[in-house]
Amino acid sequence: MVSEKATLINPQGLHMRPAGLFASTMGKYACDVTIVTADKEVNGKSPMALMAAGIPCGTEVEVRCDGADENEALAAALELIKSGLGE
Amino acid sequence: MTDRCDIVAVTGHPTGAVHAIMAKEALERAAAERGRSIRVEVQTPKGTVDKLSHDEIEAARAVIIAADIDVDTTRFADKPIVGAGISSALSTPAAGALIDRAWSLAEGLEPAEDVARDFVSPDSVFIAEGFGNRDDLLDFISRSAVALGYATDAATLKTAFLKREAEGTTGMMDGFAVPHAKSPTVRRAAVLVVRDDEGVDGWQTMDGLPVTVAIALLIPEGGEESLHLRLLSRVAEALMDEDFRAEVKVAGDSATIAEAINERLG
């Protein structure tokens, strides 16, 4: 299992579009992906779960990847978050 | 410096001052009944009386135009505004109705402190069939939003919905879609729901099932930044619950659906 923290910079937080983008990108990897915040742990491959978490801009989240391609997945996840999730 | 007034108004009539003054007095009486302050400008064929100052307009929460003449409203640009013919302000009860409308618009534009209030009323839930395709459905939602007073211009609203769809479908799973539009034409945050048990064409969804329930979110520009996120996250959370989805799909009437959603949004 590998993990690292990153801060969400999207002005409107993790709403539908960035949530969908993140989930579909992570969906390509075999490992489990979990987004951890101060009060919840969310399945990073589920767009609905990510949206339901309603994570606002400025939140520092921990991305956890566990499985065969965990390193690649983590790298991709961090890259996405740091680049603003397409926004 | 003028005292701040809650409401500013303009009355006017093409043939004389009598009606305009009657309307002014009715508005003043109705405002007093409601504990609101009002300043009324009267436009007559001979000229304008008690013209509203820039400061007075700036300080007001809402604008009422009760006139049978064209009144230039560009000076009221960013204010909630209610316009009607002068006959709608000639009696105190009628003038009161205008004031109530203007005030509820003003209230609606205030940023909500909390998501906890009824976003869905049974009037905004439509159970029907034969909407055909996604664009027709969004067209219907846009026009309904205007009819219900949630937005000003249907075409602008529809464009906002479509623009959002172009960025990525809002079709989710199990027949649910969450179209949303953030636009200056939205007067107050609101939720409209359309259920078409036949299914709607041309709406891509994450699980491939056709859309049968569209939960449309209208978000005003400005106001609280996080409202958009909070509404969406609560709807998403509700949609993850199989019981909620079933409840909405089998509900026999609009009131049941409205209640089910409001419970989750509150």
Side-chain angles (χ1 to χ4, degrees), chain B residues 165-217:
Chain B
E165 295 299 320
E167 291 165 4
T169 185
T170 62
M172 311 237 76
M173 60 205 231
D174 199 23
F176 285 82
V178 282
H180 45 282
K182 187 170 178 175
S183 166
T185 193
V186 176
R187 282 178 167 160
R188 50 167 283 186
V191 180
L192 271 86
V193 184
V194 179
R195 192 179 95 193
D196 180 345
D197 292 337
E198 280 183 356
V200 174
D201 294 329
W203 208 330
Q204 207 184 14
T205 60
M206 291 186 188
D207 65 359
L209 290 177
V211 173
T212 52
V213 182
I215 301 180
L217 312 184

Side-chain angles (χ1 to χ4, degrees), chain B residues 77-232:
Chain B
D78 298 313
K79 300 286 175 187
I81 188 166
V82 168
I86 197 156
S87 54
S88 303
L90 290 177
S91 70
T92 313
L98 286 181
I99 290 176
D100 291 339
R101 267 171 65 197
W103 200 252
S104 70
L105 279 183
E107 296 282 81
L109 288 175
E110 293 291 327
E113 296 225 327
D114 200 278
V115 184
R117 63 176 176 83
D118 277 0
F119 277 98
V120 196
S121 87
D123 296 335
S124 5
V125 179
F126 304 88
I127 305 176
E129 258 140 41
F131 279 104
N133 65 40
R134 180 196 72 181
D135 291 12
D136 289 339
L137 183 49
L138 290 173
D139 183 78
F140 173 78
I141 289 174
S142 302
R143 284 182 292 109
S144 303
V146 171
L148 290 162
Y150 299 142
T152 335
D153 182 70
T156 308
L157 186 55
K158 184 183 173 185
T159 301
F161 277 122
L162 288 174
K163 182 161 172 278
R164 175 58 190 80
E165 295 299 320
E167 291 165 4
T169 185
T170 62
M172 311 237 76
M173 60 205 231
D174 199 23
F176 285 82
V178 282
H180 45 282
K182 187 170 178 175
S183 166
T185 193
V186 176
R187 282 178 167 160
R188 50 167 283 186
V191 180
L192 271 86
V193 184
V194 179
R195 192 179 95 193
D196 180 345
D197 292 337
E198 280 183 356
V200 174
D201 294 329
W203 208 330
Q204 207 184 14
T205 60
M206 291 186 188
D207 65 359
L209 290 177
V211 173
T212 52
V213 182
I215 301 180
L217 312 184
L218 276 62
I219 319 278
E221 287 280 328
E224 213 189 327
E225 266 311 303
S226 61
L227 177 65
H228 183 183
L229 183 68
R230 284 202 304 205
L231 262 186
L232 209 50

Side-chain angles (χ1 to χ4, degrees), chain B residues 23-40:
Chain B
K24 169 177 184 280
E25 291 172 350
L27 284 165
E28 287 170 344
R29 282 193 300 270
E33 275 175 8
R34 286 158 175 73
R36 306 247 171 262
S37 52
I38 191 168
R39 254 277 288 129
V40 187

Side-chain angles (χ1 to χ4, degrees), chain A residues 12 14-17 47-49 51-52 54-56, chain B residues 164 167 170 172-173 178 180 206 228 233 236 239-240:
Chain A
Q12 288 181 78
L14 199 62
H15 65 109
M16 195 157 166
R17 199 176 358 158
M48 296 295 296
M51 267 169 62
I55 303 173
Chain B
R164 175 58 190 80
E167 291 165 4
T170 62
M172 311 237 76
M173 60 205 231
V178 282
H180 45 282
M206 291 186 188
H228 183 183
S233 80
L239 288 179
M240 283 174 67

